[in-house]
Amino acid sequence: MRIENILNKAIKLEPLTLGKGMFIYERVSTNELMLVRMNVARNKCRGTKWVG
Amino acid sequence: MPGNKVGWLIDRNINITNVCISGCKFCNFHCKINEDVQYITSVEEYCEKIDELFAAGGRQVLMQGGMHPKLGLDFYTGLFSELKRRYPNLKLHALRPPEVVFLANKARKSYRKVLEELVEAGLESLPGAGAEILSDRVRKIISPGKCNTHEWLDVMREAHKMNLVTSATMMFGHIETEKDRIEHLIHLRQVQSEKPSGNNGFVTFVPWPFMDEGTVLRSEGIRNTSTANDYLRLVAICRIMLNNIKNLQASWLTVGAATWQLCLHGGANDFGSIMMEENVVSAAGANYKMNALGIQQAIRDAGFEPQYRNQAYEPEEIPAGVKS
């Protein structure tokens, strides 16, 4: 399991398994997790007028 | 984030009663039916509180528990109908899955039937509280009288089929493991994936840390040791795992404005509400307070733009008379 591959899946909004979720929760730095989730948030809201 | 906007609203918490049979070890608010401090909020008291809410510009009340052994479905439908009769513009964001399960068992009705009767009486959205950690091992210890994981999720499945607006929550940092947290998120993601296309489902997810002051859990040696970094990591992993829930609200009430502002830079996009009269986590040590102006300033100070919204996360004009 490679961290980079898992984070790329997350950014593309692909569902992560329990194992992959645990893997990054335990091993990825807070900075990197925050950066990934910002990108996830951007992808979630792409093309919408508002957050909801 | 489109337009860099961060949602917020004005609402008021009103506890229907403080009598509750769930025996949650993290809750200092509940009491038994025979205790002197027990109460059931009267219609006159609701009116006084709702008048204050309307004067402050809000239109929504969050009405929750406890699970009073003598209050059944008829009590709640009667209460909601009466409040809607007196305040047709009032938005009722009320009860939680544990209360729906409790009422269904008491009335020997399905969750669907109970929800339909509540909606008919005026319920407009179902809060996702009472989830704590969706693990039966954990729930049996910290909330022995509350519904189990399967029941909590099934109530939400029914609510989603009816297109009720719902939310989801997590209270972490007590006896659960990191694996329990990730499994909790996967349970929510699964239920969200089952909602009929186009229906609201979970419109937001809100995680907060266990507040331990004066709780039974603390007397048993379980303390809240979460740091700001723990919260940021938890919020981050929630956003990553919940790929099908659009909004994420960080909990200013429990972590304070500074940590909350940091969460915005990692992907959280909502402030929640000013929560007039929050009683439960406040009774366990969450003492942060914010007013409408303070919320908007905190959002701006973090580099974002405040956007007033409703419970369905639809943008609204800021209420007349509220300073911005």
Side-chain angles (χ1 to χ4, degrees), chain B residues 259-306:
Chain B
T259 302
W260 176 84
Q261 286 170 314
L262 277 175
C263 290
L264 285 186
H265 288 281
N269 66 344
D270 196 76
F271 198 97
S273 81
I274 64 171
M275 288 202 280
M276 297 165 69
E277 205 190 339
E278 198 290 323
N279 287 320
V280 179
V281 293
S282 302
N287 294 318
Y288 296 106
K289 302 279 182 202
M290 292 282 253
N291 60 25
L293 209 52
I295 286 178
Q296 294 172 84
Q297 193 57 49
I299 294 170
R300 290 193 185 100
D301 286 349
F304 295 83
E305 183 186 343

Side-chain angles (χ1 to χ4, degrees), chain B residues 10-256:
Chain B
I10 298 170
D11 77 357
R12 173 162 206 153
N13 290 27
I14 305 178
N15 288 97
I16 298 163
T17 175
N18 60 349
V19 175
C20 188
I21 58 156
S22 60
C24 295
K25 291 182 175 179
F26 54 84
C27 174
N28 295 332
F29 176 70
H30 74 280
C31 69
K32 296 195 171 109
I33 195 167
N34 56 356
E35 290 186 49
D36 289 344
V37 293
Q38 67 84 26
Y39 71 81
I40 298 171
T41 303
S42 68
V43 170
E44 289 66 35
E45 288 167 325
Y46 284 111
C47 292
E48 194 177 315
K49 291 170 191 286
I50 293 166
D51 288 341
E52 285 176 4
L53 170 71
F54 276 37
R59 290 292 177 271
Q60 176 179 285
V61 287
L62 168 60
M63 288 171 57
Q64 296 184 318
M67 296 188 286
H68 192 301
K70 293 194 174 171
L71 302 183
L73 183 56
D74 289 348
F75 169 84
Y76 291 95
T77 54
L79 173 63
F80 292 175
S81 300
E82 180 59 18
L83 293 179
K84 290 294 279 189
R85 186 185 69 77
R86 295 186 186 215
Y87 300 93
N89 295 329
L90 181 69
K91 300 292 180 193
L92 284 178
H93 183 48
L95 305 180
R96 304 165 292 172
E99 287 155 324
V100 173
V101 171
F102 176 71
L103 293 174
N105 291 340
K106 205 169 165 57
R108 296 176 187 271
K109 291 182 176 177
S110 66
Y111 303 152
R112 176 64 175 236
K113 184 69 181 152
V114 168
L115 287 170
E116 283 175 347
E117 290 188 31
L118 292 168
V119 168
E120 175 70 21
L123 177 74
E124 278 152 319
S125 52
L126 185 67
E132 329 311 355
I133 290 287
L134 293 168
S135 150
D136 288 340
R137 176 188 63 78
V138 172
R139 299 177 76 77
K140 277 179 189 164
I141 297 169
I142 68 168
S143 300
K146 249 182 199 160
C147 66
N148 64 30
T149 299
H150 182 69
E151 291 166 330
W152 192 99
L153 295 167
D154 277 350
V155 169
M156 286 305 193
R157 283 188 175 96
E158 283 306 321
H160 294 176
K161 286 179 199 163
M162 295 167 61
N163 201 19
L164 258 182
V165 167
T166 68
S167 58
T169 63
M170 171 197 279
M171 186 190 72
F172 73 98
H174 38 89
I175 64 163
E176 88 287 359
T177 63
E178 290 190 343
K179 186 178 175 204
D180 291 325
R181 296 177 190 175
I182 303 293
E183 282 179 333
H184 178 107
L185 300 175
I186 290 175
H187 283 312
L188 296 175
R189 188 177 72 195
Q190 176 60 33
V191 168
Q192 181 80 337
S193 74
E194 296 167 17
K195 77 177 176 68
S197 176
N199 282 13
N200 288 297
F202 296 123
V203 295
T204 191
F205 175 73
V206 195
W208 65 82
F210 158 58
M211 305 306 289
D212 63 7
E213 201 173 290
T215 63
V216 173
L217 277 179
R218 180 155 164 171
S219 72
E220 293 175 350
I222 310 298
R223 301 187 66 129
N224 169 20
T225 56
S226 306
T227 62
N229 185 53
D230 293 335
Y231 191 65
L232 287 170
R233 290 184 67 76
L234 192 275
V235 169
I237 198 70
C238 291
R239 178 59 107 181
I240 289 167
M241 294 300 294
L242 295 174
N243 64 326
N244 57 2
I245 298 179
K246 197 161 243 176
N247 301 297
L248 199 152
Q249 186 186 124
S251 169
W252 64 269
L253 181 69
T254 51
V255 302

